[in-house]
Amino acid sequence: MAEADTTKASDLFVQCLENEGVEYVFGVPGEENLDFLDSLSRSGSIRLILTRHEQGAGFMAATYGRHTGKAGVCLSTLGPGATNLVTAAAYAQLGGMPMVMITGQKPIKKSKQGRFQILDVVALMHPITKYAHQMASADNIPSRVREAFRLAEEEKPGACHIELPEDIADERTLSRPVAGSVVRRPSADVKSIRQACEALEAARRPLLVIGAGANRKMLSEFVEKTGIPFLTTQLGKGVIDERHPKFLGCAALSAGDFVHRAIEDADCIVNIGHDVIEKPPFFMHNDAACQERKVIHVSTQTAEVDPVYFPHIEVIGDIANAMWQIKEAIRPSSKWDFSAMLRYREAEVEHTAGLASDARFPVFPPHLVREVRDVMPEDGIVCLDNGIYKIWFARGYTAYQPNTVLLDNALASMGAGLPSAMASAMVYPERKVMAVCGDGGFMMNSQELETAVRLKLNLTVLVLNDNAYGMIRWKQANMGFDDFGLTYGNPDFVQYAQSYGANGYRAESAGHLRELLEHCRNTPGVHLIDCPVDYSENDHILNTEIKALSRAL
């Protein structure tokens, strides 16, 4: 074949990414990516986002996918670069976030440096992705890239991986990008819709449990027609405006909360868009009592049978269409009684309001949650890292819109808060974005502050400072163990932020925190607030007080 008629493989790979509508490639390139990097430099539509660690790049790519539904793309070299993507791959895979990882590799047709840095990265990625593939021929690049994006984006979304060896990237080929097909998700079977309606109509206290896969518009219409109350999982926060009078709360704790009393009261549960990878808000038991309470599973995929989850009726297909069909077919029942469920919610709101009014310093977590909610606009995005504060936010932060509270209740990895906020600020530059991180989680990817400053992003990083791994310390206290092995020292976060070119502040009181939150919201740039936090009552409130109060109702 004449070279004039061919395309360099790395150029073709970039053309395939352009064909998929890719906007950004997040990553840390290495020697084995240089052909690809050179090709990427000539793209007119894709921007390279150079990060300071591959994990930060992966978290950003996954969050881009979470917001847009299009696969985010991240890049690393072979060996240690690829292994640094592993946590982000698992984060995207378990959390249902579409992401495509591209990693480099030494030449595969001849030895260049022996076995230096060489791992079987494809085998490493197989258990934590939907698809992992090594490119062995430039001719196959279009079909393999198309397949990776197809699998990453279709239900359930997740992570895919392509390895591009150096010698393959330098090949010539006659291949051209493959166009994506038009795909419509199938509608749910009419008979399953009828079965679900009959179960709901026969119930006395039906309840909706909303997960991350649920659709806002159709669910809102369903709730308005039927009046059936709803609660959310952590990943389902904001699917319906939580100011709704039928909202019962978020299942942030595993058991014993006010919201769990509502679940116990229900005799028919419709579980919408939920995945057992997320800590379940209720547990099924294979006994007579469980058989009396019907569980209806509404999802794009059949339920994975689990010791604690085996629904009686499954409505499988496009979730929005399924809920529309149920809405149209159902006849609201006069015998439905939600009074007890709504009383549990009233009790929770009253209890939380009392806690949130405590303006002590260091700042009390429920008060901090209220202050953040008051300061953030309706469409503002709060990105939570992982720590005990995630429970306080899941319980007490009222979400008004979908994807305005980004938390991870699947892999639940530390270190994702700042990168996810950065990706959010890139996808929605007109909206206010805040990362809420513990000092432990923040320090796991704090170097990305430099990336945020370099990209001229507008965001606030609220660092909750207790000089400890607070979540595990809470668990340690709950299990009756001595306080041991979980405390450390921190840098001066104000100076640390300033050293990267960000703005640094330290809260001196609860009132001062409010002033700082408002200032950072209204001022462009990257801001960090060092906020001392009082976790001394975590164990008593979350493990004892709430359970006793809800049990007494």
Side-chain angles (χ1 to χ4, degrees):
M1 57 184 175
E3 184 166 314
D5 298 327
T6 64
T7 303
K8 185 179 178 181
S10 58
D11 289 341
L12 176 61
F13 202 114
V14 171
Q15 290 170 15
C16 291
L17 297 183
E18 293 171 337
N19 192 56
E20 297 292 341
V22 172
E23 296 180 273
Y24 304 108
V25 172
F26 305 91
V28 182
E31 177 185 344
E32 291 70 28
N33 305 120
L34 289 178
D35 285 286
F36 177 85
L37 194 65
D38 179 65
S39 298
L40 188 62
S41 71
R42 292 187 293 276
S43 174
S45 57
I46 303 176
R47 181 182 176 191
L48 174 69
I49 304 299
L50 183 68
T51 61
R52 304 305 300 269
H53 193 286
E54 293 87 353
Q55 189 180 99
F59 286 147
M60 291 182 75
T63 304
Y64 175 93
R66 183 175 186 172
H67 276 302
T68 66
K70 301 190 300 181
V73 179
C74 53
L75 173 72
S76 83
T77 189
L78 80 172
T83 59
N84 280 346
L85 284 177
V86 165
T87 299
Y91 172 81
Q93 181 75 354
L94 270 63
M97 307 175 206
M99 179 174 79
V100 172
M101 298 173 287
I102 304 166
T103 63
Q105 187 55 276
K106 300 290 185 187
I108 58 174
K109 297 183 179 180
K110 61 180 180 180
S111 176
K112 179 181 178 182
Q113 294 173 312
R115 300 295 298 172
F116 177 63
Q117 288 192 310
I118 293 180
L119 293 170
D120 189 342
V121 176
V122 174
L124 179 72
M125 291 294 184
H126 262 302
I128 52 172
T129 60
K130 299 177 73 175
Y131 176 78
H133 181 78
Q134 181 191 71
M135 295 306 315
S137 168
D139 295 340
N140 295 333
I141 286 174
S143 62
R144 296 307 90 199
V145 172
R146 176 82 280 275
E147 179 70 350
F149 276 82
R150 181 186 72 83
L151 289 170
E153 293 173 357
E154 77 174 15
E155 296 292 343
K156 176 187 171 185
C160 290
H161 166 243
I162 296 178
E163 182 177 83
L164 181 62
E166 278 186 274
D167 51 350
I168 305 304
D170 193 39
E171 285 184 352
R172 309 291 303 187
T173 178
L174 291 168
S175 294
R176 296 291 179 264
V178 173
S181 57
V182 177
V183 179
R184 296 287 297 171
R185 286 188 291 268
S187 299
D189 177 70
V190 174
K191 291 182 180 178
S192 68
I193 297 292
R194 188 65 249 160
Q195 289 174 334
C197 289
E198 289 171 357
L200 283 166
E201 291 164 0
R204 290 187 175 275
R205 298 174 303 280
L207 172 68
L208 307 180
V209 176
I210 299 174
N215 175 274
R216 178 187 181 93
K217 182 176 185 294
M218 288 305 162
L219 265 178
S220 298
E221 293 180 5
F222 179 86
V223 172
E224 293 305 322
K225 176 179 178 178
T226 63
I228 298 176
F230 65 96
L231 60 94
T232 73
T233 68
Q234 291 187 39
L235 289 174
K237 281 188 71 65
V239 171
I240 299 181
D241 191 330
E242 293 175 2
R243 293 169 293 188
H244 195 287
K246 294 299 174 71
F247 176 60
L248 299 176
C250 173
L253 295 172
S254 298
D257 204 344
F258 296 96
V259 73
H260 296 106
R261 291 300 308 277
I263 295 171
E264 293 165 6
D265 196 50
D267 62 354
C268 182
I269 297 176
V270 186
N271 207 14
I272 307 166
H274 180 58
D275 190 316
V276 292
I277 204 69
E278 186 178 10
K279 188 165 59 178
F282 65 91
F283 292 87
M284 299 180 68
H285 304 282
N286 195 16
D287 54 23
C290 178
Q291 294 304 316
E292 292 177 3
R293 182 173 72 178
K294 295 297 182 185
V295 174
I296 303 168
H297 175 85
V298 181
S299 185
T300 56
Q301 296 177 311
T302 54
E304 178 183 340
V305 176
D306 187 88
V308 298
Y309 189 64
F310 38 92
H312 308 97
I313 299 170
E314 300 196 40
V315 180
I316 306 303
D318 179 79
I319 294 175
N321 176 268
M323 292 311 300
W324 175 82
Q325 288 192 64
I326 296 174
K327 172 182 72 78
E328 292 296 303
I330 197 168
R331 295 185 298 271
S333 172
S334 60
K335 66 176 182 291
W336 288 343
D337 181 8
F338 309 120
S339 55
M341 295 179 183
L342 296 172
R343 283 198 301 272
Y344 300 141
R345 175 59 179 169
E346 290 170 5
E348 179 183 348
V349 170
E350 181 180 354
H351 177 251
T352 300
L355 297 175
S357 63
D358 187 336
R360 74 179 73 170
F361 190 80
V363 176
F364 195 37
H367 182 76
L368 180 140
V369 172
R370 189 186 72 179
E371 295 300 280
V372 172
R373 176 64 280 178
D374 286 350
V375 165
M376 291 296 282
E378 290 206 4
D379 66 350
I381 301 170
V382 174
C383 301
L384 302 175
D385 209 284
N386 266 282
I388 187 65
Y389 51 88
K390 185 177 79 170
I391 293 177
W392 289 111
F393 270 86
R395 290 186 82 251
Y397 187 92
T398 305
Y400 303 152
Q401 298 181 19
N403 276 342
T404 55
V405 180
L406 296 194
L407 52 75
D408 171 20
N409 197 35
L411 182 66
S413 170
M414 296 171 71
L418 173 58
S420 65
M422 292 163 59
S424 299
M426 293 176 69
V427 174
Y428 298 109
E430 75 285 356
R431 291 163 70 173
K432 304 298 181 182
V433 176
M434 181 185 299
V436 179
C437 309
D439 44 13
F442 171 70
M443 289 302 293
M444 291 188 179
N445 274 309
S446 63
Q447 72 282 346
E448 300 304 343
L449 273 178
E450 188 279 327
T451 309
V453 171
R454 175 166 29 93
L455 295 175
K456 296 181 171 57
L457 300 180
N458 297 315
L459 60 89
T460 300
V461 185
L462 179 60
V463 178
L464 308 185
N465 191 343
D466 69 327
N467 295 289
Y469 291 118
M471 171 71 88
I472 310 307
R473 210 176 183 191
W474 167 58
K475 296 283 188 180
Q476 191 177 56
N478 184 42
M479 295 174 71
F481 293 125
D482 291 338
D483 186 359
F484 174 76
L486 296 169
T487 59
Y488 46 72
N490 280 315
D492 183 320
F493 285 123
V494 174
Q495 293 185 20
Y496 185 72
Q498 292 170 346
S499 72
Y500 284 119
N503 302 291
Y505 316 88
R506 181 171 294 108
E508 304 291 347
S509 68
H512 185 222
L513 172 63
R514 176 62 173 262
E515 294 174 10
L516 290 175
L517 290 171
E518 292 177 342
H519 168 76
C520 294
R521 178 197 61 197
N522 297 332
T523 308
V526 179
H527 306 275
L528 181 147
I529 302 172
D530 177 2
C531 180
V533 64
D534 181 359
Y535 283 151
S536 62
E537 294 192 53
N538 282 346
D539 182 49
H540 171 69
I541 295 173
L542 296 175
N543 291 325
T544 304
E545 182 175 289
I546 286 173
K547 292 179 180 179
L549 290 171
S550 64
R551 193 183 307 117
L553 289 172

